[in-house]
Each structure stands twice: as structure tokens, then as C-alpha cells.
Amino acid sequence: MALLSGSMAIDAAAAVDEIALALVQMDTTGRSDLLLGDAGLALFYTYLADRQPDAAHEITGARFLERAAAASDPAPNLQSALGVAWAISHLSDAVDEGEPDATAALLADRLPSWLGPHDLLNGLAGVGAYALARLPHPDAARCLAGVVDALADRAMTTDQGITWWTEPAWLEPAWRARYPDGCYDLGVAHGVPGVIGVLAGALKAGVAAERARALLAGAVAWLLAQRLPDDERSCFPSWSAPGSAPVPARTAWCYGDPGIAAVLLAAARAAAEPSWQREAIAVALAAARRAPEATGVVDAGLCHGAVGLGHLYQRLHAATGEPALGAAAVDWIARALAMRRPGEGVAGFVAHGVRAGRDAGLLTGAAGVGLALLAALGDDEPAWDAILLMS
């Protein structure tokens, strides 16, 4: 059953149409990648064509994808060639186990000497997310097993559980200044929760299951030990480090309680751990009750904006049946639609911190807004959000 109905559904459908028109008029983002570039636009137009069968949408999606494939940066992370490879795979036919998966095989060969970060957007967890999408291909299974092994090699065992340290070189400059020796990162996008989501996927798929289960149990224990006192403005911090007070998080997917709730729920289901599920639902409900002015939301985008919260609460509601999460989903999508400024940004959606607010991409821009609105208007599985560990 569709989340939206009545006049709100009409408004959301009109916004999707305006996004589609605006993006095709822009012609290109100037980037090739999935999260901020043309591959993300290809994803939007292909899903739009499924809901509104139209050869023009299919052609536009194919054009964006072809352009992204031709220009993608070769770096093996979701913000470059790996994200484009995921989009090509996702938008193509079912996995052919008889044909080699050159990307998964190459990554599997590189993993034993991996020197990069462990996170979702730039590191090992992103490689794992690609491999999960390509299962049951044997190259993908080998790659995913290699990710689990690499995560195990880099894991830190503490008195609170298992975790992963973020080196200062992997931090944004502002946070590197605050944490010159590095820190523990608690965002789905760049930290331990993203690792938990991929380990849950490996356990569910039965790939390196014994090792994945042990890592997952330790990582969830560590994560839950980071929970802040009830009087803080979030359940979990964004970052923490020895000798430094934890930083309460905004309410978002990238950093914050809704994203953590989603991966924790996935871990609970994969490991059949009802106590983790209770924690996940409690965190999601606490976030859903939070006053809008306390969330840090200032724009509509998927990563840390209003439509991203709407989409996460919709997914959590579908998984748990909690009425409050469904109500929060509708409320945040309504807020996203109310943020539109005709004539500004992209189709009226203005991205905070971006020159002229003109962000067309999936993660923080109009394509992501459009995909989330399409998910709220239909009753089909929005499988595109698997790459962000939302499903």
C-alpha cells in the first residue's frame, strides 16, 4: 500500500515530474559517480520509467548511465567507479552466474593488501555492499568473504566489544582538527554502523557466516555501549574518542539515530537477536518523536534532509508495523515538499551548502528526493536503497 494518498500524493507526483524535467534540462551533473553524479540520475529515470512507462524516461536513464560508465573514476569506492558498476548491475538483468564478474574478482584480489578506510562510502563496507548486490555470483561471494576477512584483520577488540578506528587522514578537515589522532565514527556513511550493515548482509547470505556472526555480535555490543544518556539530543553520538566528550548527532541517515536503527534492525533480523530488534525499534521511535527543530534538518535531501527521514521511517514502518514510524514518514515527506522554493535550486529543491543550491545528485540532491517520493507513491520495493543499507 502506498504511503501517500489524496492531495499529498498529487503534490508529490507533481514534484517528481518537475524534478524529471529539471534534470533532463540540466543534461549532466558534471560528474559520473552514483552518489553525486550521472549514475544517480540514471537510477532516478529508470525507476520513474517503471512507475510512468515512457520511452523518453528509459532513453534518458540509459543516456545518463552510458555517460557515467564512459567517464567514471577508476577508484574502488562507492563515490567513484564502484558506484557506477553497482548502478549498471542494478539496472541490468538478473545476475548471470556463468559470466565472470570482473569488478568483484578484481576487488577480491585487492582486498588482502587493502590500505584504505573501512567505511561505506569510501572503503571496505562499500565493497561489501557491491558484493552483496551481485550475489549469488561466485566472484561476488569470494569478494564478500574477503571483505569480512579484511574487516576482521582491522577490528579492534575492546572491553565494550569490537570496533574500527577511523584514522585522521580519513576525516574531513574540520573533524581532523578536532580529532588529530583519529576517532571512532558512528555514522552509517563513514563509520561502524555501515560495517554492521554489511556484516549483517554477509550473515544473512551465509557468506563467511561464522566469522561475520562473531564480528557482528561484537560490533553491535560496542555500538550499544556508546548510547548517550536520555537527556542528550540523540541516542548515539556522531564521533567519539578517548579523552573527548562524544558529539551528539543530527537526526539523519549519514549520522544519527534513524540510520543506526535501520542497520541495527537488519543485524537483529540476520542474527535472530530479539534484544537487538527491541533496541532498534526504541531508537527509531525516539528519533521519530524528536521535535523537528532539534533534528538539524535544513533541506530536503536523502542523506541528511527531510525526505531522507521520510524514506527511512517508511522503511522502518514497513519492517516493524509501528504506526508512529508510518506517521513520521508522512510528516517528514510533507516537510520536504513544503521546503520547495519555486525557481530556485533544482525543481524548487535547494541543497544547503551548495552554490545556488543546485544539487542534482542522488545522495544530497534532486534525484534522491525524486526516488524517495516515488517510493512513497508506490507499493513496489525501492531496491535502490540497498546501496545505502536502508532496505
Side-chain angles (χ1 to χ4, degrees), residues 89 92-97 134:
S89 171
S92 65
D93 295 331
V95 173
D96 183 350
E97 296 181 52
R134 294 293 293 163

Side-chain angles (χ1 to χ4, degrees), residues 155-164 192 195-196 199 203 210-226 264 267 271 273 276:
M156 297 175 57
T157 300
T158 73
D159 57 0
Q160 295 177 323
I162 294 172
T163 189
W164 288 264
V192 175
V195 171
I196 287 174
L199 289 172
L203 177 58
E210 184 176 346
R211 199 168 203 189
R213 182 183 290 277
L215 288 171
L216 185 62
V220 170
W222 182 87
L223 176 65
L224 295 178
Q226 309 314 306
L264 187 55
E273 289 284 355
W276 298 358

Side-chain angles (χ1 to χ4, degrees), residues 47-351:
Y47 273 80
L48 178 61
D50 286 342
R51 178 171 172 81
Q52 301 176 9
D54 186 327
H57 295 327
E58 293 182 12
I59 292 168
T60 301
R63 186 176 78 247
F64 277 119
L65 192 61
E66 182 178 0
R67 181 182 293 153
S72 62
D73 183 320
N77 62 62
L78 292 184
Q79 301 201 78
S80 59
L82 187 58
V84 176
W86 178 89
I88 292 170
S89 171
H90 184 72
L91 298 177
S92 65
D93 295 331
V95 173
D96 183 350
E97 296 181 52
E99 291 292 327
D101 185 322
T103 298
L106 178 63
L107 289 167
D109 291 341
R110 288 185 180 182
L111 286 169
S113 58
W114 184 273
L115 298 176
H118 55 265
D119 72 322
L120 179 65
L121 297 193
N122 295 304
L124 284 169
V127 175
Y130 173 81
L132 283 167
R134 294 293 293 163
L135 292 176
H137 196 288
D139 288 333
R142 182 167 72 91
C143 181
L144 184 57
V147 168
V148 174
D149 287 344
L151 288 170
D153 290 345
R154 289 157 178 74
M156 297 175 57
T157 300
T158 73
D159 57 0
Q160 295 177 323
I162 294 172
T163 189
W164 288 264
W165 182 256
T166 296
E167 299 292 338
W170 303 337
L171 291 168
E172 294 291 331
W175 292 105
R176 194 181 311 144
R178 179 170 185 147
Y179 300 112
D181 298 320
C183 66
Y184 298 113
D185 190 305
L186 284 93
V188 174
H190 295 295
V192 175
V195 171
I196 287 174
V198 169
L199 289 172
L203 177 58
K204 182 179 179 181
V207 176
E210 184 176 346
R211 199 168 203 189
R213 182 183 290 277
L215 288 171
L216 185 62
V220 170
W222 182 87
L223 176 65
L224 295 178
Q226 309 314 306
R227 184 152 183 170
L228 297 171
D230 289 341
D231 58 352
E232 291 284 0
R233 66 175 185 265
S234 65
C235 297
F236 291 93
S238 295
W239 301 273
S240 68
S244 178
V247 179
R250 66 173 83 185
T251 305
W253 167 78
C254 53
Y255 287 92
D257 299 336
I260 288 175
V263 296
L264 187 55
L265 184 61
R269 299 281 171 86
E273 289 284 355
S275 63
W276 298 358
Q277 176 159 316
R278 289 192 294 271
E279 290 282 357
I281 293 173
V283 170
L285 290 173
R289 289 192 296 266
R290 199 162 293 141
E293 58 271 18
T295 62
V297 171
V298 295
D299 63 11
L302 195 62
C303 179
H304 47 256
V307 83
L309 286 181
H311 186 71
L312 272 169
Y313 292 136
Q314 179 182 2
R315 296 299 260 155
L316 288 162
H317 169 66
T320 65
E322 289 286 344
L325 297 175
V330 173
D331 180 66
W332 278 104
I333 291 174
R335 291 179 183 279
L337 292 170
M339 289 177 174
R340 294 179 68 197
R341 302 180 197 167
E344 299 183 44
V346 178
F349 292 101
V350 179

Side-chain angles (χ1 to χ4, degrees), residues 4 7-17 333 337 340 373-374 376-377:
L4 304 183
S7 61
M8 192 171 168
I10 293 171
D11 290 345
V16 168
D17 289 342
I333 291 174
L337 292 170
R340 294 179 68 197
L373 293 177
L374 285 171
L377 287 165

